[in-house]
Amino acid sequence: MEPKWSNTVSKRVLLTGFTLCVILVTKPMSAIDIHTEPYMIVENGTTGILRCTFKSSDVVSSSTSVTWSFQSSQPDNPFSKSPYVIYYFSNGKGFPGPDEFKDRLQFIGDINKRDVSIQLSPTQFSDNGTFFCDVKNPPDVKGTQSRTELRVVLKESLPRNNTALIVGAVLGALVVLVLIAVAACVVMRMLHSRHDYEGCTSLESESSQAAQPRKKVESSLEGSRCTSPSGPLQGPVIYAQLDHSGSKNSFHKMEPVVYADIRKN
């Protein structure tokens, strides 16, 4: 029974080993993804930072390497014919390139964070050209290097920052809107005040007109009171014929006789 069991175990071990070998050999390698800024403009004599990051499915190790190359866009520059390596990083150490970049180039990235950026300080007009960033992270070594077109210019040639213009325009529009709102409030308040004033004036005129007839009535009453006599009223005048001679042929003289009205006022 032991030979049969040992043969079975041996077959299973061989089959498992063969399967693992097939999986490891036929494992597809993913391509490393490298990213840089496609275009940059830097003022002459300042610090220019060339960003470069990468994505890899494998863990970063000491075998990960970084290569920066440069090809000048100026025909009379010695680096214009083909890309030249200006910086190399491997096993945790950096190796500077030619003297033109040796004292001005510095590695500022963190390879564990998949950042392999460099900086040039100070930048020169001879730096006009294309910078290439290439990363190898074994076994992830397949990938296309990324490039950045660098342009070094004078301060006067730098593009204007539109952010300040946009912010200024927005603030100006807000100020105009606030002024319009304040003006509208003032006009509405003036119209409201004028309406209230006209209402008060009309009420006063109506009350004055209503008071005038009362004054006329009172004045007429007062006039009548003033013209009325303060003493007893005089009664009607009656004319009577009086005969003083007693004869028939006597001249009859008519004299007025006043009968006083003794009625009270």
Side-chain angles (χ1 to χ4, degrees), residues 168-178:
V170 172
L171 292 178
L174 291 177
V175 171
V176 171
L177 291 176
V178 171

Side-chain angles (χ1 to χ4, degrees), residues 88-155:
Y88 181 75
F89 182 90
S90 181
N91 293 324
K93 295 181 180 180
F95 302 93
D99 295 336
E100 288 81 0
F101 296 94
K102 184 177 180 180
D103 298 330
R104 298 187 299 117
L105 191 148
Q106 182 181 359
F107 183 79
I108 61 172
D110 187 351
I111 197 168
N112 293 322
K113 296 181 179 179
R114 292 171 169 76
D115 184 3
V116 292
S117 304
I118 61 173
Q119 75 173 15
L120 290 174
S121 182
T123 54
Q124 302 175 358
F125 290 112
S126 59
D127 297 333
N128 283 293
T130 305
F131 289 81
F132 301 89
C133 178
D134 190 16
V135 181
K136 305 295 183 184
N137 187 33
D140 192 1
V141 294
K142 289 185 177 181
T144 304
Q145 61 182 358
S146 185
R147 63 179 63 190
T148 299
E149 193 75 23
L150 180 64
R151 183 183 175 191
V152 182
V153 298
L154 295 174
K155 184 177 180 180

Side-chain angles (χ1 to χ4, degrees), residues 3 28 36-37 62 101 105-106 111 137 143 165 186 194-195 206 209-210 217 230-231 245 249 260:
T36 59
E37 296 180 6
S62 59
F101 296 94
L105 191 148
Q106 182 181 359
I111 197 168
N137 187 33
L165 296 177
V186 171
R194 182 178 298 177
H195 179 71
E206 291 177 0
Q209 290 177 2
V217 172
S230 58
S245 59
N249 296 327

